């Protein structure tokens, strides 16, 4: 093949890949809000809004069993006290699995609280909370969940903030058998979200709006009882994230975040666990 033809084919394929990237129209369904959730710009953008009558939400059309998932969010600006923007993976039922990002609003000038949690077999209570090192309302930032059979890693703009390792060998449940959808919602939680419920939602600032773009999922899609990655997914299939772990530089960045920006860690809450901290807090994987 002539070099000019190769160049043409390369450009064509690159263009095809660019035009078939993730799209909110294709990948998500608005599930509630009576028009308060909107997909815009031919599926490139999505917004959720909240007023005194209702919030809004959406969910992925696909279910996933492991994945490396990114979403860019720009949070509710100004006085967001009482509001919660939730972005998470979850299965259904009383023994569900769940991997949570929740952004707890605050009064103008006060930082958001980024709340994380992991549920396995219906058991959660694994909260870690952070303030961010930037204003998440001024621009879009990338919030990522790496979920593979060995670990779950929460990251912000590529910087890991939390790792939850598979410690099933020590009796700690780990989400690995239940396919999960991606969900997001914007809702009023002024009974607990801001300063334990002491600061209420100021509805004179409504509607409150959160914005989304650039969803990306390198993931094993679960459909009709089987995984797109096969029965025994491995990195040999080209999914390096399936065996991904934090290298020394990433661990150092995570330590920096946890030292400087963590505001709550269940593993340090001795008063909450008078009979002893959970196993995953005191053991190594």
């Amino acid at each position: 093949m002539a070099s000019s033809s190769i160049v043409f084919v390369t450009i064509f394929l690159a263009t095809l890949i660019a035009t078939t990237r993730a799209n909110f129209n294709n990948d998500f369904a608005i599930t509630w809000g009576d028009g308060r959730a909107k997909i815009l710009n031919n599926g490139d953008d999505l917004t959720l809004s909240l007023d005194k009558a209702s919030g809004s939400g959406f969910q992925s059309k696909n279910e996933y069993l492991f994945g490396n998932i990114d979403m860019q969010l720009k949070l509710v600006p100004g006085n967001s006290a009482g509001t919660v923007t939730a972005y998470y993976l979850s299965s259904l039922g009383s023994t569900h699995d769940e991997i949570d990002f929740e952004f707890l609003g605050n009064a103008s000038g006060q930082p958001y609280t980024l709340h994380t949690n992991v549920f396995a077999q219906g058991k959660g209570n694994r909260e870690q909370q952070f303030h961010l090192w930037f204003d998440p309302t001024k621009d879009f930032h990338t919030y990522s969940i790496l979920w593979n059979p060995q670990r779950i890693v929460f990251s912000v703009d590529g910087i890991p903030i939390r790792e939850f390792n598979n410690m099933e060998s020590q009796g700690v449940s780990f989400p690995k058998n239940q396919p999960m959808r991606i969900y997001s919602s914007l809702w009023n939680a002024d009974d607990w979200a801001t300063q334990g419920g002491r600061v209420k939602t100021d509805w004179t600032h409504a509607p409150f709006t959160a914005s989304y773009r650039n969803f990306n999922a390198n993931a094993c899609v679960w459909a009709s009882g089987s995984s797109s990655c096969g029965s025994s997914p491995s990195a040999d299939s080209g999914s390096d994230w399936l065996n991904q772990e934090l290298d020394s530089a990433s661990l150092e960045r995570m330590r920096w975040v946890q030292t400087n920006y963590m505001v709550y860690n269940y593993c340090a809450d001795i008063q909450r666990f008078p009979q002893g901290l959970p196993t995953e807090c005191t053991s190594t994987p």
Side-chain angles (χ1 to χ4, degrees), residues 196-241:
R198 292 188 296 274
V199 181
K200 301 299 184 182
T201 304
D202 184 349
W203 294 110
T204 64
H205 295 282
F208 304 98
T209 301
S211 303
Y212 300 73
R213 71 180 189 189
N214 289 345
F215 164 71
N216 185 62
N218 293 314
C220 300
V221 175
W222 185 268
S224 302
S226 63
S227 169
S228 62
C229 296
S231 57
S232 300
S234 69
D236 295 337
S237 62
S239 302
D240 292 342
W241 56 266

Side-chain angles (χ1 to χ4, degrees), residues 61-66 176-181 219-233:
K61 295 179 180 179
N62 286 327
E63 290 183 294
Y64 304 97
L65 188 60
F66 306 124
K176 70 171 193 179
N177 296 315
Q178 299 184 53
M180 297 195 272
R181 294 187 193 273
C220 300
V221 175
W222 185 268
S224 302
S226 63
S227 169
S228 62
C229 296
S231 57
S232 300

Side-chain angles (χ1 to χ4, degrees), residues 4-284:
S4 58
S5 299
I6 294 173
V7 170
F8 173 79
V9 170
T10 302
I11 293 172
F12 173 77
L13 289 174
T15 303
L16 181 62
I17 291 168
T19 57
T20 57
R21 69 189 186 280
N23 181 284
F24 284 107
N25 280 319
N26 298 335
D27 297 314
F28 291 91
I30 293 171
T31 49
W32 63 286
D34 195 23
R36 291 172 179 82
K38 294 181 171 63
I39 296 176
L40 307 168
N41 300 324
N42 297 314
D44 286 344
D45 302 300
L46 185 150
T47 60
L48 295 180
S49 65
L50 163 70
D51 58 34
K52 199 167 187 178
S54 178
S56 50
F58 64 91
Q59 70 180 43
S60 63
K61 295 179 180 179
N62 286 327
E63 290 183 294
Y64 304 97
L65 188 60
F66 306 124
N68 192 11
I69 294 165
D70 303 325
M71 184 82 80
Q72 289 194 332
L73 282 77
K74 183 163 65 172
L75 300 179
V76 174
N79 186 354
S80 59
T83 71
V84 173
T85 306
Y87 155 55
Y88 59 103
L89 287 159
S90 185
S91 59
L92 300 176
S94 60
T95 58
H96 75 292
D97 294 340
E98 189 171 326
I99 305 169
D100 287 342
F101 274 117
E102 290 186 317
F103 304 89
L104 313 184
N106 213 333
S108 297
Q110 299 299 311
Y112 263 82
T113 296
L114 171 52
H115 174 101
T116 66
N117 204 351
V118 176
F119 287 74
Q121 295 295 310
K123 181 184 181 298
N125 299 323
R126 298 183 175 104
E127 302 91 346
Q128 290 184 357
Q129 296 182 338
F130 306 83
H131 288 160
L132 295 165
W133 49 96
F134 54 84
D135 183 343
T137 73
K138 297 296 186 184
D139 204 350
F140 285 89
H141 292 269
T142 303
Y143 302 91
S144 306
I145 295 170
L146 168 66
W147 170 37
N148 66 31
Q150 297 82 37
R151 62 191 50 81
I152 295 164
V153 179
F154 298 79
S155 298
V156 178
D157 288 338
I159 298 173
I161 64 170
R162 176 179 185 177
E163 181 178 35
F164 183 82
N165 287 298
N166 185 336
M167 296 178 64
E168 289 178 300
S169 62
Q170 300 184 50
V172 180
S173 297
F174 185 84
K176 70 171 193 179
N177 296 315
Q178 299 184 53
M180 297 195 272
R181 294 187 193 273
I182 301 166
Y183 296 87
S184 191
S185 57
L186 174 57
W187 51 291
N188 177 45
D190 66 3
D191 57 332
W192 65 271
T194 304
Q195 298 181 32
R198 292 188 296 274
V199 181
K200 301 299 184 182
T201 304
D202 184 349
W203 294 110
T204 64
H205 295 282
F208 304 98
T209 301
S211 303
Y212 300 73
R213 71 180 189 189
N214 289 345
F215 164 71
N216 185 62
N218 293 314
C220 300
V221 175
W222 185 268
S224 302
S226 63
S227 169
S228 62
C229 296
S231 57
S232 300
S234 69
D236 295 337
S237 62
S239 302
D240 292 342
W241 56 266
L242 273 165
N243 289 330
Q244 186 175 333
E245 57 186 302
L246 296 179
D247 59 19
S248 58
S250 296
L251 287 169
E252 184 62 32
R253 287 194 294 269
M254 185 171 69
R255 282 191 288 268
W256 172 78
V257 172
Q258 293 183 351
T259 298
N260 293 285
Y261 296 99
M262 180 183 282
V263 295
Y264 177 79
N265 180 9
Y266 78 110
C267 281
D269 196 342
I270 297 173
Q271 290 185 332
R272 182 179 175 187
F273 302 102
Q275 304 304 314
L277 293 170
T279 301
E280 67 268 21
C281 299
T282 58
S283 304
T284 56

